[in-house]
Amino acid sequence: MRQLSTIVERFRDRFGAVPRVYRAPGRVNLIGEHTDYNDGFAMPAAIEFYCWVAISPREDRKLCLYSEEFSSESGVDLAADAPAPTKSWSDYPIGVTLQLEGAGFHLRGANLLIESEVPMGAGLSSSAAIEVATALALAEQSGAKPERVQLARLCQKAENEFVGARVGIMDQFVSLHGQKDHALLLDCRSLTFESLAIPDSVKLVISNTMVKHELASGEYNHRRADCEEAVRRLATVLPGIRALRDVSPEQLEKHKGLLTDVIYKRALHIVSENARTLDAAAALRAGDIDRFGKRMAESHRSLRDLYEVSCMELDLMVDLAYQQKGVHGARMTGGGFGGATINLVDARFAGEFKEKIAKAYQHETGLLPQIYICKPAEGAGPLLSSDV
Ligand code: GLA
């Protein structure tokens, strides 16, 4: 494992100590988009792109952070007042630090070197990967053993409260609970999941459009507010509901008069996406990959037309996918407004798919996309020096 030995060396050069090393994966979501903050269902898989955190203790209560990507240092004094966010990479590890302390974990001072290979801005959860890797590293070197579900919640809270993005829990959860060769059917209300095997006959192929539009985070928070507004209005006639998870397609149709056109479209996406995700899970259990692919196609159309979080580049990448051989399904993945698509491709055609879609996308846009043929990976954990 080359990465582990190089990160240990870099750490030694910078901080003069031998670190422990933790890593946390990014993720791709197969279906169930924007459902997590509606208490609904999602189907993510962790992928073999990791954020690595090397850590060793300090005598004082300072955390010194170094990012390899940004060649930049930052830090926080745990004995002083909490700092304010700076809108930079360090908000993620510092946000997580403050959450762990706030939850009663007494952290030791430490030096941390952070290195990530999760593509940034691609909708593959580089943020969750850095949060989770940092949280695990800090907790374990302070002798704390929080439950993984609690860690996922604390990382999500760090992003909500310190970074300012009102994300749901899917990314942090799967980064901690991912399983090799499996996707997770995650119930975002109960935080229970079912592992679903991805058959060897298909590959998860991720196409990175290489664009990320500026409005992404602002629009994300708006969508969430739209969903909350839908619940407030529908609760006047459906008093038992707590989230759009609790609303059936029939109830939504019956009471659509209570909603504006825009809020209705948002709610219709969520309610139908939950049903599609459950049906996709049933299809996977039954080995019916074509049916799974149909649900992916519907999901993309719904995200494009009802939830309005797609963009020209994502739509193009999906259209191009359907022109290739061996494609069962294709859709945007993650928050949207750029980033990546997920394609379920017959394993025999994955290599050809990669080559042809890259050429076609470059021809149309002038941008050279990155295409990754992925396998579902294990969730976050420590690495042992015997792994080197
Ligand atoms: C981002 C968020 C997740 C989820 C997705 C959309 O990745 O971090 O919580 O809401 O968008 O499904």
Side-chain angles (χ1 to χ4, degrees):
M1 221 184 274
R2 191 190 61 85
Q3 182 93 16
L4 180 56
S5 51
T6 45
I7 197 170
V8 167
E9 256 167 53
R10 287 203 192 109
F11 189 93
R12 217 189 257 145
D13 290 348
R14 175 159 294 273
F15 294 114
V18 177
R20 294 207 66 189
V21 180
Y22 296 80
R23 68 175 190 186
R27 66 98 189 91
V28 67
N29 189 21
L30 271 55
I31 193 163
E33 215 65 85
H34 287 273
T35 44
D36 61 350
Y37 53 84
N38 288 293
D39 278 4
F41 298 95
M43 201 191 293
I47 50 176
E48 290 170 316
F49 283 104
Y50 298 95
C51 176
W52 307 68
V53 170
I55 187 167
S56 73
R58 291 173 61 98
E59 291 307 318
D60 56 16
R61 290 208 70 222
K62 288 192 178 126
L63 289 184
C64 293
L65 308 165
Y66 182 76
S67 157
E68 280 288 332
E69 270 63 56
F70 296 96
S71 306
S72 146
E73 281 176 19
S74 185
V76 57
D77 186 349
L78 295 169
D81 287 345
T86 57
K87 302 248 167 278
S88 74
W89 65 271
S90 59
D91 286 352
Y92 297 93
I94 293 179
V96 161
T97 305
L98 299 178
Q99 284 299 334
L100 283 166
E101 282 271 314
F105 297 105
H106 186 73
L107 302 180
R108 295 175 65 179
N111 294 322
L112 286 85
L113 184 136
I114 302 171
E115 191 172 313
S116 182
E117 62 199 16
V118 186
M120 270 180 251
L124 302 177
S125 293
S126 54
S127 324
I130 185 174
E131 289 156 10
V132 167
T134 312
L136 264 188
L138 289 174
E140 289 204 1
Q141 82 117 22
S142 304
K145 284 253 175 258
E147 293 285 324
R148 288 195 165 222
V149 172
Q150 186 186 12
L151 268 187
R153 284 210 170 96
L154 291 175
C155 290
Q156 179 201 13
K157 237 175 140 210
E159 197 159 337
N160 291 168
E161 292 176 10
F162 201 68
V163 179
R166 299 188 60 212
V167 294
I169 198 155
M170 166 172 71
D171 305 347
Q172 294 80 4
F173 190 93
V174 72
S175 184
L176 279 153
H177 295 87
Q179 289 183 4
K180 194 168 179 291
D181 300 329
H182 290 75
L184 310 184
L185 172 63
L186 173 60
D187 179 334
C188 300
R189 170 170 280 165
S190 64
L191 296 185
T192 53
F193 64 89
E194 176 186 346
S195 316
L196 296 169
I198 303 294
D200 286 343
S201 55
V202 290
K203 294 277 181 215
L204 307 183
V205 185
I206 297 171
S207 304
N208 185 351
T209 63
M210 311 305 278
V211 298
K212 185 77 196 169
H213 295 292
E214 270 307 303
L215 30 87
S217 59
E219 286 298 317
Y220 184 96
N221 288 352
H222 281 155
R223 293 299 177 282
R224 189 161 179 167
D226 287 347
C227 294
E228 287 163 0
E229 180 63 18
V231 173
R232 260 193 301 278
R233 292 184 185 206
L234 291 168
T236 59
V237 288
L238 302 168
I241 66 170
R242 278 162 44 210
L244 285 175
R245 149 77 172 269
D246 303 314
V247 178
S248 70
E250 296 73 29
Q251 286 172 323
L252 182 60
E253 268 329 286
K254 184 164 173 211
H255 301 297
K256 70 191 269 194
L258 291 171
L259 308 178
T260 64
D261 287 351
V262 169
I263 303 268
Y264 169 70
K265 284 202 288 183
R266 307 297 188 240
L268 182 56
H269 166 72
I270 300 301
V271 169
S272 59
E273 185 78 352
N274 275 330
R276 274 191 290 275
T277 304
L278 293 176
D279 189 62
L284 206 50
R285 279 183 220 112
D288 189 346
I289 303 295
D290 279 331
R291 178 167 139 214
F292 193 99
K294 285 202 182 99
R295 300 294 90 80
M296 289 175 79
E298 292 161 6
S299 168
H300 185 78
R301 285 197 291 274
S302 178
L303 288 157
R304 183 190 64 196
D305 302 336
L306 299 175
Y307 218 60
E308 297 178 283
V309 291
S310 188
C311 62
M312 183 279 280
E313 294 85 354
L314 286 167
D315 294 343
L316 174 68
M317 197 66 103
V318 167
D319 288 347
L320 292 174
Y322 282 112
Q323 294 168 23
Q324 313 304 322
K325 261 190 260 163
V327 173
H328 295 284
R331 56 180 287 278
M332 56 157 275
T333 187
F337 301 104
T341 63
I342 169 75
N343 307 273
L344 218 56
V345 184
D346 183 317
R348 290 167 302 176
F349 295 101
E352 181 180 334
F353 175 90
K354 176 174 171 164
E355 203 177 300
K356 292 206 166 149
I357 200 166
K359 273 203 191 121
Y361 183 81
Q362 189 179 17
H363 178 75
E364 297 279 336
T365 61
L367 298 168
L368 182 64
Q370 287 176 354
I371 315 289
Y372 323 109
I373 301 179
C374 291
K375 277 177 133 200
E378 280 294 311
L383 292 168
L384 305 172
S385 42
S386 57
D387 291 334
V388 183

